[in-house]
Structure formats: structure tokens, C-alpha cells
Amino acid sequence: MRAIGWIVSGFMIAGVGCSSPPSTPAPASTEAAIAPAAPATAAAAVVSFTAIGEPGWYAAWPAGSAWPGTSVVNTELAGAPATASAIVPLTNGRFEISSLRGGDVVLDVNGYFTGAGSPSSTEGLFVPVAPTRVADTRGATGVLAPI
């Protein structure tokens, strides 16, 4: 799979375009950004994933780093949605996303964790945001093509 990153509704991204599954252990990926839902200095984002596709997996990891070999959500049955939430580490407000066999994905941002350079606060490190649908590739209502 190879995809191109998009900023959707000014908050987040997903990917478009898909070829065959990767032939190497590290999958091809697309970069995702969470600005302006979170600053580029955020250390991690809380992202809810809904995946609909062939049996396989969807993964997310910090931009520019090697795929850690783990997934966020696994799809078991073709066409059946699978959901999970993850705290995804960020590099300059960005992360990478990929899937084994492609399909549809819905991404919602629920908050972020401030980085080490953030000023002290009485509210702690986690900053919640109203759940925001930032990508939906399903059918005619989807903003993006499946990844």
C-alpha cells in the first residue's frame, strides 16, 4: 500500500490510494498530521480507529521512525468493522498510518498529550478535545478514497 497524506477539516489526515500489500516486513505508509487539533509540540495523540476491510491490520506510529511491528486494530471478517483506540506518539505533530490489505478507515481525534517543552499547567499533560471525525473513507459520503 502507498498513500498520500491529507489534512481533513483542518484537523487530521488519512490516506488515499492503494496498491498491493507490502512485500517487506515494514509496510508502506502515509504520514498523518493532527494540527490544528493539537500543536506540533504535542508528544502523542489519542486516536480512535474504525477499520473496515479484508482480514488484516491497521497500524500507526511516529512519523519518520521505523514501523514497530505492531498494529492498532485488526480486522477479522471481510466488511465487518473493527474498532480500537490508541495513544499514538507523534514526531512534530505527525504520525504514520498503514494497513496490511487496505480498506476503509475512520479516524477520530479525542485529545493529545503535551510535550516536554510545554509550559507547566494545573490541568496536567492530557488535553481533551471534543471527539472530531477527521477522516471517513466509506462510500459516497467519504471524504477520501480507501487506504
Side-chain angles (χ1 to χ4, degrees):
M1 182 197 74
R2 184 65 189 144
I4 301 169
W6 285 60
I7 294 178
V8 178
S9 300
F11 281 97
M12 172 107 171
I13 93 64
V16 297
C18 183
S19 60
S20 60
S23 58
T24 61
S29 65
T30 187
E31 222 174 78
I34 63 165
T41 57
V46 179
V47 181
S48 294
F49 292 78
T50 301
I52 307 159
E54 296 298 316
W57 50 258
Y58 290 75
W61 63 96
S65 64
W67 175 54
T70 60
S71 64
V72 172
V73 62
N74 297 312
T75 51
E76 305 263 335
L77 299 170
T83 61
S85 291
I87 297 171
V88 180
L90 303 171
T91 301
N92 297 320
R94 303 184 74 75
F95 66 95
E96 307 227 7
I97 185 169
S98 185
S99 72
L100 178 63
R101 294 194 171 101
D104 287 305
V105 65
V106 177
L107 302 174
D108 298 327
V109 174
N110 300 301
Y112 64 94
F113 289 87
T114 60
S118 297
S120 296
S121 137
T122 58
E123 298 178 9
L125 298 174
F126 178 68
V127 179
V129 297
T132 304
R133 174 75 29 95
V134 294
D136 186 344
T137 65
R138 299 171 293 171
T141 61
V143 176
L144 304 171
I147 64 170

